[in-house]
């Protein structure tokens, strides 16, 4: 039998349904903000990503799926969607009249990363790209879109924002940063490479030794020009006014080289270490880097697999919230209890533990299974024709007559 390629997965049944649900929610929200669908190729000339995502990024430096086709062209499987969207915008000459275009897309991206939970070699993104809009209100709207999508999907997240400055203020910061970096030693090999290619990417390093060396790093916030400062302050004010919570993170520089001004990331920690579930920002300079005379671009992408993982976990939790944990303190009570459990199972999800254990052990197990109701039969209860009941959420407990149990469970919320 031929196995699937490492780092890929089949989306079947529940996973396929979740994928559809996420895309549908994202599309609905994006359409309300006047974005429309585009479909872009999965392969591009490698040069496109080298010139946009940048040689200093891990994506281009280490993770790109590249090959030569039969005509010796250097081709890459797209590691992300922004570069293709900019290429499409420029190829269609929309930049000539500075046309405003708001596009959304979804589909496979490819990065040769070490596969682990929430990290695949072929994964899916839902992305939006907005062209021709200079106003910081567009950046704000993109954050609103993400905030709304996550609310609709019931996903908790932390929003981190930063400003990376523009052509006027970024070079000054770069100089300050290089001076600071040169005065330190002990950076990892990746940081030494980044220092040469794009020094601000050093701020993004996740290695503890580098993080410690960076404690007193100069901050972009202190170097912003008047326009960038005003825009960044306005962005924060409007987010606050609209009750979108955020943290300013001076080390948020994003893993791709094309950003300037607004940069943001949404994180969630329910699938292991804090994971970015979406990221984006402004990339006006990229249009020039790819051959236009100028223009404006801002966008984001959501990692669908990470959202799927969180939703699966949330669903598992809600499922178990209906769970009744049934146990006995003495194995001799098992035979009599099984008929009662059979009856309860006609309407309720019941887990029955056949082993007699101490009450405290059973309670621990019930908690670990995230059950909401705990039922326990001990010798005393059996003699009294009762059962011990505990609501594991409200912590209320009492003994209930077995004859009243079904009626009690169907009607009570306590
Ligand atoms: P990115 O931060 O590289 O940005 O990716 C966006 C999201 O894709 C991440 O936040 C993460 O959820 C997900 N992701 C990234 N790599 C993997 C992986 N190996 N496995 C699973 N999920 C992954 C971009 O791609 C930019 N193009 C975003 C953007 C659009 N900026 C402006 N417009």
């Amino acid at each position: 039998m031929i196995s699937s390629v490492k780092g890929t997965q089949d989306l079947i049944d529940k996973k396929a349904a979740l994928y559809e649900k996420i895309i549908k929610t994202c599309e609905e929200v994006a359409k309300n903000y006047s974005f429309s669908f585009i479909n872009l190729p999965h392969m591009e000339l490698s040069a496109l990503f080298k010139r946009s995502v940048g040689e200093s990024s891990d994506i281009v430096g280490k993770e790109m799926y590249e090959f030569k086709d039969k005509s010796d062209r250097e081709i890459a499987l797209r590691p992300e969607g922004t570069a293709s969207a900019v290429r499409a915008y420029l190829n269609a000459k929309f930049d000539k009249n500075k046309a405003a275009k708001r596009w959304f897309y979804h589909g496979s991206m490819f990065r040769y990363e070490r596969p682990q939970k929430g990290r695949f070699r072929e994964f899916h993104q839902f992305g939006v790209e907005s062209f021709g809009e200079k106003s910081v209100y567009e950046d704000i709207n993109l954050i609103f879109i993400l905030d709304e999508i996550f609310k609709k999907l019931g996903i908790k997240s932390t929003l981190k924002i930063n400003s990376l400055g523009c052509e006027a203020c970024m070079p000054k910061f770069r100089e300050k940063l290089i001076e600071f970096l040169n005065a330190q030693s002990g950076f990892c090999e990746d940081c030494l490479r980044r220092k040469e290619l794009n020094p601000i990417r050093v701020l993004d390093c996740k290695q503890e030794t580098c993080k410690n060396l960076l404690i007193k790093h100069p901050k972009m916030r202190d170097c912003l020009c008047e326009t960038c400062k005003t825009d960044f302050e306005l962005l924060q004010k409007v987010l606050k006014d609209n009750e979108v919570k955020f943290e300013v993170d001076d080390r948020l520089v994003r893993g791709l080289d094309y950003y300037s001004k607004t940069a943001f990331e949404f994180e969630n920690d329910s699938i292991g270490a804090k994971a970015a579930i979406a990221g984006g920002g402004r990339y006006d300079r990229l249009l020039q880097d790819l051959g236009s005379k100028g223009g404006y671009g801002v966008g984001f992408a959501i990692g669908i697999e990470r959202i799927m993982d969180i939703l699966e976990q949330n669903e598992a939790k809600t499922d178990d919230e209906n769970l009744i944990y049934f146990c006995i303190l003495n194995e001799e009570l098992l035979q009599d209890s099984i008929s009662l459990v059979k009856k309860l199972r006609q309407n309720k999800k019941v887990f029955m533990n056949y082993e007699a254990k101490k009450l405290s052990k059973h309670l621990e197990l019930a908690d670990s299974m995230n059950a909401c109701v705990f039922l326990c039969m001990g010798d005393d209860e059996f003699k009294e024709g009762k059962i011990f009941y505990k609501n594991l959420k409200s912590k209320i407990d009492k003994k209930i007559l077995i004859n009243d149990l079904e009626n009690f469970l169907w009607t009570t919320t306590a």
Side-chain angles (χ1 to χ4, degrees):
M1 203 165 42
I2 298 173
S3 60
S4 59
V5 175
K6 190 173 174 187
T8 67
Q9 63 169 345
D10 303 315
L11 302 183
I12 301 175
D13 294 343
K14 216 172 166 189
K15 277 207 154 92
L18 263 184
Y19 183 89
E20 277 188 306
K21 175 183 161 171
I22 296 165
I23 298 299
K24 193 165 166 262
T25 308
C26 293
E27 276 182 3
E28 271 170 15
V29 179
K31 280 180 184 169
N32 285 349
Y33 280 77
S34 65
F35 283 74
S36 56
F37 178 61
I38 47 156
N39 196 28
L40 297 163
H42 283 66
M43 50 182 183
E44 297 276 1
L45 296 174
S46 304
L48 175 67
F49 301 111
K50 289 182 179 159
R51 291 241 304 263
S52 54
V53 178
E55 307 265 3
S56 87
S57 70
D58 288 349
I59 298 175
V60 167
K62 302 182 195 168
E63 298 166 358
M64 208 147 69
Y65 276 90
E66 282 180 280
F67 59 94
K68 283 198 175 167
D69 70 6
K70 292 188 196 305
S71 311
D72 240 15
R73 288 185 194 94
E74 299 213 0
I75 304 290
L77 297 183
R78 64 178 184 186
E80 60 107 48
T82 311
S84 304
V86 176
R87 180 200 49 68
Y89 182 78
L90 301 187
N91 285 171
K93 301 195 174 17
F94 289 136
D95 61 316
K96 298 277 183 240
N97 54 3
K98 301 209 169 8
K101 292 280 169 195
R102 292 191 176 86
W103 290 334
F104 70 80
Y105 54 87
H106 52 86
S108 294
M109 307 292 158
F110 305 85
R111 294 182 193 177
Y112 192 82
E113 293 200 73
R114 197 161 57 81
Q116 51 185 280
K117 194 158 177 57
R119 182 163 295 155
F120 296 88
R121 288 184 175 167
E122 179 177 358
F123 61 99
H124 299 83
Q125 284 185 345
F126 177 90
V128 313
E129 312 295 346
S130 165
F131 295 106
E133 193 50 81
K134 182 182 178 185
S135 167
V136 69
Y137 280 99
E138 191 68 357
D139 312 21
I140 294 167
N141 269 330
L142 296 199
I143 294 177
F144 283 172
I145 294 180
L146 280 168
D147 185 62
E148 213 172 307
I149 289 173
F150 293 145
K151 280 206 178 107
K152 283 202 162 159
L153 290 170
I155 286 180
K156 288 192 186 126
S157 59
T158 311
L159 165 63
K160 294 196 162 163
I161 59 168
N162 195 12
S163 174
L164 303 178
C166 65
E167 279 163 346
C169 49
M170 171 55 98
K172 260 189 263 160
F173 173 66
R174 231 176 118 104
E175 258 174 50
K176 259 192 167 181
L177 184 64
I178 292 173
E179 208 177 294
F180 171 84
L181 295 176
N182 284 341
Q184 322 273 328
S185 58
F187 284 108
C188 70
E189 260 181 43
D190 276 340
C191 279
L192 295 177
R193 183 171 61 93
R194 289 173 188 140
K195 203 173 100 179
E196 296 312 313
L197 295 165
N198 184 2
I200 65 156
R201 291 282 336 283
V202 174
L203 297 176
D204 197 27
C205 188
K206 307 285 180 280
Q207 303 257 1
E208 277 313 308
T209 37
C210 299
K211 277 192 193 167
N212 289 337
L213 289 170
L214 288 167
I215 287 171
K216 288 193 175 154
H217 72 89
K219 295 186 173 57
M220 185 67 226
R221 238 192 302 180
D222 302 329
C223 302
L224 293 177
C225 63
E226 265 324 297
T227 318
C228 287
K229 197 168 162 222
T230 313
D231 278 349
F232 193 45
E233 277 166 5
L234 180 61
L235 179 119
Q236 294 178 61
K237 183 179 182 308
V238 179
L239 291 181
K240 265 187 207 146
D241 289 350
N242 287 276
E243 287 164 14
V244 177
K245 290 202 178 100
F246 63 87
E247 291 167 20
V248 175
D249 181 349
D250 292 302
R251 291 227 192 134
L252 177 74
V253 296
R254 308 272 300 124
L256 308 93
D257 282 356
Y258 47 62
Y259 294 106
S260 52
K261 300 191 88 164
T262 314
F264 54 84
E265 236 166 49
F266 282 73
E267 282 181 353
N268 175 288
D269 54 12
S270 57
I271 44 169
K274 269 202 170 72
I277 51 175
R282 189 162 271 281
Y283 49 83
D284 300 341
R285 206 188 58 232
L286 179 58
L287 282 98
Q288 280 174 48
D289 290 349
L290 292 180
S292 170
K293 288 213 169 76
Y296 306 103
V298 54
F300 70 70
I302 302 178
I304 304 296
E305 277 73 7
R306 295 187 187 175
I307 305 297
M308 284 167 67
D309 277 353
I310 298 167
L311 292 184
E312 270 183 331
Q313 242 178 46
N314 289 357
E315 271 182 18
K317 272 193 191 150
T318 12
D319 259 351
D320 283 347
E321 270 169 21
N322 301 317
L323 182 69
I324 298 175
Y325 181 99
F326 191 104
C327 59
I328 43 160
L329 298 181
N330 173 355
E331 266 174 35
E332 283 170 18
L333 300 171
L334 198 53
Q335 261 191 38
D336 288 291
S337 303
I338 203 148
S339 340
L340 175 60
V341 171
K342 182 173 180 290
K343 235 168 153 192
L344 296 179
R345 279 179 173 153
Q346 285 167 5
N347 292 298
K348 294 273 176 187
K349 183 171 160 186
V350 185
F351 169 82
M352 183 174 192
N353 196 328
Y354 306 133
E355 254 184 87
K357 291 182 201 292
K358 278 189 183 160
L359 185 71
S360 57
K361 265 270 160 255
H362 276 309
L363 278 166
E364 255 175 46
L365 273 167
D367 261 341
S368 71
M369 291 173 71
N370 206 25
C372 68
V373 168
F374 180 85
L375 294 176
C376 181
M377 182 68 84
D379 289 333
D380 289 349
E381 285 82 8
F382 185 69
K383 274 183 218 146
E384 293 164 4
K386 290 183 176 169
I387 191 153
F388 174 78
Y389 161 93
K390 182 166 185 175
N391 183 315
L392 296 173
K393 305 295 164 212
S394 66
K395 308 291 177 211
I396 290 173
D397 62 35
K398 55 183 131 192
K399 283 189 186 178
I400 297 170
L401 277 172
I402 289 177
N403 287 341
D404 294 343
L405 180 64
E406 276 179 87
N407 194 27
F408 176 80
L409 289 176
W410 301 172
T411 51
T412 191
T413 49

